[in-house]
């Protein structure tokens, strides 16, 4: 079996496909991967013995600068990505049996698979990206939020925005491939039987007519890497610290400062992860430690709480570790959704606004660090599955045999 895996986004989009690739290869499948051209993704995929196919503009370059990209810049980037996909995907999918497109912005994948006679599977990392009256669509950068609280109306508006951005380009390329036009780009990409690579205990799919969702569980791999010696020395030098990290989010330095000050007010130590925003310490006191890329699975089991931006991967890793969370969500994609799930499950707190003040953070830490929050977090963590990537790999192998698994 030969599989093409494709995604576009930050590390949180790439890592789940890495996990799926490893499980597929363990079962004898041949795997290719289309990912953004950023060096760190190429290196990560090379680590598992796969040569990446770079597609689209650099993701990290989109996060640079003190201000987010303008709506016009985002529109041009999306257009360029679609053109790059139609240019690169046909060669990448040649000889494959299945194309798995994961995450957002996979506009060309289904059409290329259709033209090549290859089965197509779409996978989402969060239920909120799939249309349902039970939740509103996530905010999409550069597109206005609809002025209504009705979820069905908001999903209709979301489909309109996707069509406005992509319909002309998609149908132009489909015509060149001898394919008929589509009138709803978003639902065409998602299919009527998408997969959901999220844990049911953390983010279950609410049953919705018209979508036969296959929930596999989170796609992840066990990480056995040891923690650096200097980090271990800090961990053992005092009580468990609070981890503060915002991944690929463009977090302001003021957020790290406010968080450290709020923790110090409660006598807590802090670990500050630099991330893509290159956050750092605010002074040279010995109650804080700055770190780079480390094993979160191992680290989170040794901290008092995890402060983060609401990424699917960080939320799932912290939940699996049974550690309370404080989520300061970036106002895009599924980050507000995961913040809401943490709050609803009682395993932490969720804050509004990009830079909460010290007083707000102090109150959030009181809740997150309370013993009953830790008890709920530990109870939930014990029930989170770790076999999602294996489940998905087995489903894909069934697909190759002709089983009715994916839409």
């Amino acid at each position: 079996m030969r599989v093409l895996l494709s995604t576009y986004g930050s590390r949180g989009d790439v890592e789940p496909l890495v996990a799926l690739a490893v499980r597929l290869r363990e079962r004898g499948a041949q795997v290719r991967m289309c990912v953004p051209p950023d060096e760190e993704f190429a290196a990560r995929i090379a680590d598992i013995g796969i040569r990446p196919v770079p597609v689209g503009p650099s993701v990290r370059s989109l996060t640079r600068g003190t201000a987010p990209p303008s709506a016009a810049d985002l529109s041009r980037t999306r257009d360029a990505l679609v053109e790059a996909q139609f240019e690169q995907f046909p060669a990448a999918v040649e000889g494959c049996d299945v194309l798995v497109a994961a995450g957002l912005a996979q506009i060309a994948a289904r059409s290329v698979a259709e033209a090549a006679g290859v089965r197509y599977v779409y996978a989402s990392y969060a239920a909120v990206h799939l249309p349902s009256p039970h939740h509103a669509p996530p905010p999409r950068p550069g597109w206005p939020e609809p002025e209504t609280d009705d979820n069905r109306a908001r999903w209709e508006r979301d489909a309109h925005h996707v069509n406005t951005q992509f319909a002309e380009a998609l149908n132009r390329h489909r015509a060149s491939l001898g394919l008929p036009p589509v009138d709803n780009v978003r639902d065409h990409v998602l299919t009527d039987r998408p997969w959901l690579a999220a844990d049911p205990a953390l983010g279950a799919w609410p049953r919705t007519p018209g979508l036969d969702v296959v929930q596999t569980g989170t796609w992840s791999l066990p990480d056995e890497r040891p923690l650096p010696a200097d980090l271990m020395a800090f961990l053992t030098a005092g009580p468990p610290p609070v981890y503060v990290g915002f991944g690929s989010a463009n977090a302001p330095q003021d957020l790290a400062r406010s968080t450290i000050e709020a923790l110090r007010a409660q006598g807590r130590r802090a670990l500050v992860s630099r991330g893509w925003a290159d956050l750092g310490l605010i002074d040279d006191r010995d109650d804080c430690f700055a770190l780079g890329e480390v094993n979160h699975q191992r680290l989170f089991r040794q901290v008092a709480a995890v402060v983060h931006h609401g990424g699917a991967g960080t939320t799932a890793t912290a939940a699996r570790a049974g550690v309370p969370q404080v989520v300061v969500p970036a106002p895009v994609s599924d980050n507000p959704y995961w913040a809401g799930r943490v709050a609803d499950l009682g395993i932490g707190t969720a804050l509004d606004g990009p830079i909460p003040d010290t007083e707000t953070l102090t109150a959030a830490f009181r809740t997150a660090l309370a013993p009953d929050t830790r008890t709920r977090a530990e109870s939930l963590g014990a029930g989170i599955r770790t076999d999602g990537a294996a489940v998905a790999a087995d489903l894909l192998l069934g697909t190759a045999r002709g089983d009715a698994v994916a839409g």
Side-chain angles (χ1 to χ4, degrees), residues 130-155:
L130 304 176
S132 172
H134 299 288
H135 53 244
R140 297 182 187 255
W143 294 350
E145 287 291 293
E147 297 177 358
T148 176
D149 293 329
D150 181 77
N151 287 342
R152 287 184 173 86
R154 291 172 71 93
W155 279 109

Side-chain angles (χ1 to χ4, degrees), residues 39-97:
E39 290 183 6
E40 63 193 88
F41 302 142
R44 179 69 179 103
I45 293 168
D47 284 344
I48 62 171
I50 295 177
R51 183 170 151 184
V53 178
V55 177
S58 164
V59 171
R60 186 184 276 266
S61 67
L62 298 176
T63 69
R64 289 176 179 157
T66 57
S70 68
D73 289 338
L74 288 167
S75 181
R76 284 190 291 269
T77 298
R78 290 176 175 127
D79 288 341
L81 179 58
V82 172
E83 296 303 317
Q85 289 173 350
F86 274 109
E87 179 180 344
Q88 299 290 335
F89 283 176
V93 82
E94 186 176 353
C96 290
D97 304 291

Side-chain angles (χ1 to χ4, degrees), residues 27-279:
R27 288 154 174 78
Q30 300 177 34
V31 181
R32 299 172 188 165
M33 294 183 67
C34 292
V35 296
D38 302 79
E39 290 183 6
E40 63 193 88
F41 302 142
R44 179 69 179 103
I45 293 168
D47 284 344
I48 62 171
I50 295 177
R51 183 170 151 184
V53 178
V55 177
S58 164
V59 171
R60 186 184 276 266
S61 67
L62 298 176
T63 69
R64 289 176 179 157
T66 57
S70 68
D73 289 338
L74 288 167
S75 181
R76 284 190 291 269
T77 298
R78 290 176 175 127
D79 288 341
L81 179 58
V82 172
E83 296 303 317
Q85 289 173 350
F86 274 109
E87 179 180 344
Q88 299 290 335
F89 283 176
V93 82
E94 186 176 353
C96 290
D97 304 291
V98 183
L99 191 163
V100 179
L104 302 177
Q106 296 295 291
I107 301 300
R110 184 175 182 180
S111 296
V112 172
E114 186 179 346
V118 171
R119 186 178 291 273
Y120 168 80
V121 176
Y122 176 82
S124 173
Y125 299 141
V128 73
H129 289 303
L130 304 176
S132 172
H134 299 288
H135 53 244
R140 297 182 187 255
W143 294 350
E145 287 291 293
E147 297 177 358
T148 176
D149 293 329
D150 181 77
N151 287 342
R152 287 184 173 86
R154 291 172 71 93
W155 279 109
E156 290 175 2
R157 189 64 178 168
D158 180 74
H160 170 76
H161 287 318
V162 176
N163 275 354
T164 299
Q165 175 78 58
F166 297 114
E168 187 280 328
L170 175 63
N171 285 324
R172 170 167 45 83
H173 282 287
R174 285 180 63 83
S176 70
L177 295 171
L179 302 173
V182 299
D183 58 9
N184 186 320
V185 175
R186 184 198 65 204
D187 292 356
H188 160 82
V189 170
L190 300 182
T191 78
D192 58 5
R193 201 176 191 206
W195 291 10
L196 177 56
D199 192 273
L202 190 59
W205 170 248
R207 290 193 175 274
T208 300
L211 278 185
D212 182 17
V213 173
V214 178
Q215 187 158 16
T216 64
T218 304
W219 298 349
S220 62
L221 294 171
D223 192 344
E224 303 299 335
R225 292 176 297 161
L227 297 176
D230 55 349
L231 173 56
M232 284 300 302
F234 179 81
L235 289 170
T236 58
V242 172
Y243 170 92
V244 181
F246 301 96
S248 59
N250 191 19
Q253 294 288 340
D254 287 347
L255 181 54
R257 174 176 294 277
S258 298
T259 304
I260 292 173
E261 289 173 351
L263 289 170
R264 282 176 169 168
Q266 298 189 42
R268 295 282 180 170
R269 304 192 303 155
L271 292 170
V272 180
S273 177
R274 295 185 181 90
W276 282 15
D278 197 25
L279 299 179

